[in-house]
Amino acid sequence: MTSSPWWRGAVVYQIYPRSFMDTDGDGVGDLPGIVERLDYVASLGVDAIWIAPFFRSPMHDFGYDIADYRDVDPLFGTLQDFEDLLRKAHRLGLRVMIDQVLSHTSAEHAWFVESRQSRDNPKADWYVWADARPDGTPPNNWLSIFGGVAWKWEPRRGQYYLHNFLSSQPDLNFHNLAVREATLDNVRFWLDKGVDGLRLDAINFCFHDRRLRDNPPKPPELRTGRGFSPDNPYAFQYHHHNNTQPENIGFLEQLRTLMDRYGDAAALGEISSEDSLATTAEYTSGRRLHMGYSFELLTDDFSAAYIRGTVERLEAAMTEGWPCWAISNHDVQRAVTRWGGPRASDDFARQMVALVCSLRGSVCLYQGEELGLPEAEVPFEALRDPYGITFWPTFKGRDGCRTPMPWNGDDGTGFSDGRPWLPIPGAHRARSVARQDADPDSVLAAVRRFLRWRKAHPALVEGDIRFLDAPEPVLAFTRRHGGESLLVAFNLSADAVAWRLPDGIAARPVDDHGLLGGRLDGGVLQLPGSGVFYGLTD
């Protein structure tokens, strides 16, 4: 019998290296810090780690603006440090996934430095260049997600270049075969090092419309999206032409062909398009990405109907691929605050981890989620995120979810001997790893117990999913795999609820998951606030 690939149903722990552990006292986390704390990560019971960018970069977007894809930025350490990390992770049984930012580079990358010099140099066509309109304005109406026009004038060439993000992040021209080949060579460098997978940032942004057609306007009532707010001008148009082009499919198939040469290495794509669920299904069908995830559960809506509808829409579209779910990451407000509010309970924090780990698919847990960390309040004068600085005060940026890990309750929280690059709130020190390690009733203890328990239930790791009709705030579904069938239910409110099971469904409670459990009484499920229920069914 063939075993499933390691990534199918895996729990992947996301590490934001700037904020994980600092070993040299400069206030910024580094690769040796990750090595030092890998035993802790392994103790959680996760299957893999995903490390956000640590490559050479001017850090205008904190590593997502890459100046050298094949080197470690000195801020984070050396290539040897990464090799040490990889070796220790594998010794602990952890797979290692790394970020790859393929659609754009830093303006300091050697390719762009050459490309911008003239219209006839060897790299002249490696980025998206266009002439001005007759009146000197940009070639079309495309906008940057980080604010303002998506074009910047380059006087050396007398042309504009495209940047879907910061102006210091010029977009590569993937219509150029040489660009695609060079990009795949960079990917091959890390696969040769022995990484187990890639998390592909903004993977649907690689190609642009060759004709540079204007994006159509979006009416005010439809100005919603994932990763940006309705008052961001980016929300004012449909992004039909600046990303998610049909040519991207062929590139994904090239990428998959390369990755298939490396055994079970897996590709996880981050996808944000006009219909992210449909694009995720398309990008994971056939021999393309192994997994895809979107921002669809990184929203403010936390209703049972929204979660059910989101998962069901993806299930209906994804006939071949494999999903991956996340409710927190380095780009959005932490879920405990976003969904639970300022006074969210520990039971709510535990429930959130159980919920995302009970959906069909793989899971990305963000560092600190296992501690129940709330969003940090970062004052304007301490902000570092250019996105937040631009849109303050209606959008405060991403710094509130990026503050350093609280390893202990000291002022520096054991993160650094120096001044941390972002302030660490007292509420986080109170939830430190050291404090929770010593408390058998902590969120951390519950997460460890639940992740171990989940691995013992194939239905939760690989099973199918079928939702059951239940009134708000109850989210209920079944998971089935092989001979195991589980009924799963969550009370998404702080108040107790009762729900009568549908006719024909009976369940025997399973109580060793370590969460606040409900009970069955004559076919009626009694769920306490933030309570859960797992039961074996026939």
Side-chain angles (χ1 to χ4, degrees), residues 517-538:
R519 60 183 178 84
L520 269 174
D521 185 4
V524 176
L525 179 57
Q526 306 286 344
L527 286 168
S530 299
V532 307
F533 179 82
Y534 293 89
L536 291 168
T537 66
D538 296 327

Side-chain angles (χ1 to χ4, degrees), residues 282-339:
E282 181 181 33
Y283 280 16
T284 56
S285 66
R287 306 300 295 172
R288 298 168 188 171
L289 300 178
H290 300 80
M291 300 176 283
Y293 88 102
S294 67
F295 284 64
E296 298 304 305
L297 291 185
L298 302 174
T299 59
D300 292 336
D301 195 340
F302 173 54
S303 65
Y306 176 77
I307 295 172
R308 173 181 178 173
T310 299
V311 175
E312 285 189 327
R313 281 193 295 125
L314 183 60
E315 287 290 310
M318 185 177 278
T319 56
E320 297 180 66
W322 186 252
C324 184
W325 297 104
I327 60 173
S328 284
N329 69 14
H330 64 290
D331 281 332
V332 298
Q333 188 180 47
R334 286 185 176 273
V336 165
T337 300
R338 193 176 75 250
W339 283 351

Side-chain angles (χ1 to χ4, degrees), residues 154-207:
E154 173 48 67
R156 297 170 184 83
R157 291 180 55 129
Q159 286 183 305
Y160 284 98
Y161 68 83
L162 175 67
H163 60 91
N164 276 296
F165 299 92
L166 294 177
S167 61
S168 57
Q169 293 171 295
D171 274 64
L172 285 161
N173 176 20
F174 271 73
H175 292 289
N176 184 329
L177 174 62
V179 169
R180 299 196 299 274
E181 291 177 342
T183 298
L184 292 175
D185 280 343
N186 286 334
V187 169
R188 186 181 292 109
F189 175 84
W190 294 102
L191 291 170
D192 285 340
K193 289 279 183 191
V195 300
D196 302 288
L198 311 174
R199 182 266 187 183
L200 301 163
D201 185 72
I203 191 60
N204 57 302
F205 278 79
C206 291
F207 283 83

Side-chain angles (χ1 to χ4, degrees), residues 104-234:
H104 57 267
T105 71
S106 163
E108 296 183 18
H109 195 290
W111 297 347
F112 188 73
V113 170
E114 182 175 356
S115 186
R116 76 190 311 174
Q117 294 303 318
S118 68
R119 299 190 186 195
D120 58 2
N121 65 76
K123 298 288 192 297
D125 193 35
W126 278 46
Y127 291 81
V128 184
W129 295 100
D131 292 331
R133 287 171 169 167
D135 61 359
T137 56
N140 62 27
N141 71 345
W142 297 353
L143 296 171
S144 161
I145 196 169
F146 285 169
V149 174
W151 297 93
K152 185 171 182 179
W153 182 253
E154 173 48 67
R156 297 170 184 83
R157 291 180 55 129
Q159 286 183 305
Y160 284 98
Y161 68 83
L162 175 67
H163 60 91
N164 276 296
F165 299 92
L166 294 177
S167 61
S168 57
Q169 293 171 295
D171 274 64
L172 285 161
N173 176 20
F174 271 73
H175 292 289
N176 184 329
L177 174 62
V179 169
R180 299 196 299 274
E181 291 177 342
T183 298
L184 292 175
D185 280 343
N186 286 334
V187 169
R188 186 181 292 109
F189 175 84
W190 294 102
L191 291 170
D192 285 340
K193 289 279 183 191
V195 300
D196 302 288
L198 311 174
R199 182 266 187 183
L200 301 163
D201 185 72
I203 191 60
N204 57 302
F205 278 79
C206 291
F207 283 83
H208 66 285
D209 174 42
R210 282 183 183 271
R211 294 159 59 188
L212 302 181
R213 288 172 287 181
D214 280 349
N215 282 327
K218 183 178 286 187
E221 66 273 13
L222 297 179
R223 289 174 184 172
T224 59
R226 309 292 181 244
F228 54 89
S229 57
D231 63 342
N232 183 339
Y234 191 83

